[in-house]
Amino acid sequence: MTKLVYFAWVRERIGKGEEEISLPADVVTVGDLLNHLKTLGEEYETALQFPDAIRVAINMEHADHDEPIAGAREIGIFPPMTGG
Amino acid sequence: MTAEPLVKVQREDFDLQTEIDRLTNGRLDIGAVVTFSGLCRDEGGMLGALELEHYPGMAEAEITRIATLAIERFDLRCLTAIHRYGKISPGENIVLVIAAASHRQAAFDGANLVMDFLKTSAPFWKKEHAKDGKEGDWISARDADDAARDKWTVDNK
């Protein structure tokens, strides 16, 4: 099981802040994960329809979409940051 | 030895003078202190409040990483970074960065670098609430902020 946490409009569109899901073996990279999530329902499809606008953190560190997710305890999925 | 930054992510407000004193008390090696504080604007009277969401744990870790980078790059004596979350009204503080160095330029550069990276890589998001109470939109990330961050890695290598 992998813990996923969502923030800002990604969280609002998916409709929850976090969840634990089991991932198929062919989900290897961050990009694979985003594509897989889009198959889980309309709300995921809406949240993730523009992958370029999605940022991901593996174990609380920024990760590119081509990075492998093996060994991830927690994966954060969110829009570009707007702090400061 | 490299100085450890003081990083806080909190709901409560902060006090500039208290934080400057905390940083400089008993120090005789500091010749320059630069503070930057970011406040919530009312956007011409339209904005009622900003709601700041953050990624607990990652927000602290990411700001600490940025602050450590600034300390090492500019040989800062010390650095404080405080970022608030929750609902913030116009006129209230959002963020504070204090950079202390032996000399002025390093303190300016240190504070500047921390803010440029913080805006683009620290996990915070802002949602606008209108003055009439209506929930507004999430603020979009700005390309100009990315460009400001990239100048530290592209031009100043």
Side-chain angles (χ1 to χ4, degrees), chain B residues 10-25:
Chain B
Q10 62 189 40
R11 186 180 285 277
E12 312 81 60
D13 196 10
F14 47 77
D15 178 67
L16 264 69
Q17 195 57 53
T18 304
E19 298 303 331
I20 293 170
D21 291 347
R22 195 199 304 278
L23 201 80
T24 56
N25 267 352

Side-chain angles (χ1 to χ4, degrees), chain B residues 18 29 38 40-41 48 61 87 108 114 131:
Chain B
T18 304
D29 57 336
C40 178
R41 290 183 303 263
K87 247 187 186 174
F108 273 121
V114 167
K131 203 156 193 185

Side-chain angles (χ1 to χ4, degrees), chain A residues 6-20:
Chain A
Y6 309 118
F7 294 97
W9 53 253
V10 172
R11 172 180 55 74
E12 286 181 345
R13 287 175 195 176
I14 289 177
K16 52 187 138 186
E18 60 177 76
E19 63 184 325
E20 301 245 355

Side-chain angles (χ1 to χ4, degrees), chain A residues 3-84:
Chain A
K3 184 182 180 189
L4 303 180
V5 289
Y6 309 118
F7 294 97
W9 53 253
V10 172
R11 172 180 55 74
E12 286 181 345
R13 287 175 195 176
I14 289 177
K16 52 187 138 186
E18 60 177 76
E19 63 184 325
E20 301 245 355
I21 66 168
S22 54
L23 296 170
D26 61 353
V27 173
V28 175
T29 65
V30 166
D32 295 341
L33 170 67
L34 297 179
N35 282 330
H36 172 70
L37 289 174
K38 277 200 278 188
T39 67
L40 299 184
E42 207 176 310
E43 62 275 32
Y44 292 89
E45 177 82 50
T46 308
L48 306 173
Q49 60 182 323
F50 302 110
D52 287 352
I54 301 295
R55 300 285 179 270
V56 173
I58 298 175
N59 301 335
M60 298 192 179
E61 286 188 27
H62 293 296
D64 290 331
H65 285 200
D66 58 1
E67 282 184 42
I69 60 169
R73 297 180 304 278
E74 178 174 295
I75 301 178
I77 301 176
F78 41 79
M81 289 66 69
T82 54

